[in-house]
Amino acid sequence: NLMKLFDRKIWSGLLKSGFERYFMTGKIINLRQARKQKKRADKETKAQENRVKFGRTGAQKNADKVVKLKTDKHLDGHKLDD
């Protein structure tokens, strides 16, 4: 009987004063997974920065190839044979 009364008092006190205050209600996370996610996000951010800094589109690369081929052909056409 004493235990029932004790349990009732505790639970009624918890319910009145805020159940969340006495028990952890935060989201439980796996720290290993959180670290891996952060590392992936950092890698993606760095990759994006490098794309902007060093990257060129395929069209730009192809245009440069065409210009190089034309200039090489032009120079080869003007070579003097010995």
Side-chain angles (χ1 to χ4, degrees):
N1 249 354
L2 185 58
M3 284 303 280
K4 287 182 184 179
L5 180 63
F6 179 74
D7 284 343
R8 254 189 268 143
K9 281 190 173 189
I10 288 177
W11 285 109
S12 66
L14 285 176
L15 292 175
K16 286 178 187 172
S17 61
F19 189 78
E20 290 84 13
R21 234 174 54 196
Y22 292 93
F23 295 100
M24 185 171 59
T25 59
K27 184 178 177 185
I28 297 173
I29 61 167
N30 185 328
L31 292 177
R32 179 180 50 84
Q33 289 176 346
R35 282 188 203 105
K36 285 184 177 183
Q37 287 175 349
K38 184 180 182 313
K39 189 176 178 180
R40 278 187 217 115
D42 291 344
K43 275 181 148 180
E44 181 57 34
T45 303
K46 181 69 175 172
Q48 186 65 31
E49 290 171 2
N50 286 340
R51 281 186 211 112
V52 170
K53 192 173 180 181
F54 301 109
R56 297 184 325 155
T57 65
Q60 290 171 330
K61 291 177 186 177
N62 288 335
D64 287 346
K65 281 182 187 178
V66 169
V67 169
K68 184 175 180 345
L69 287 173
K70 282 184 179 180
T71 55
D72 288 345
K73 187 176 177 182
H74 180 73
L75 289 174
D76 288 342
H78 287 85
K79 276 188 180 177
L80 296 176
D81 291 327
D82 289 334

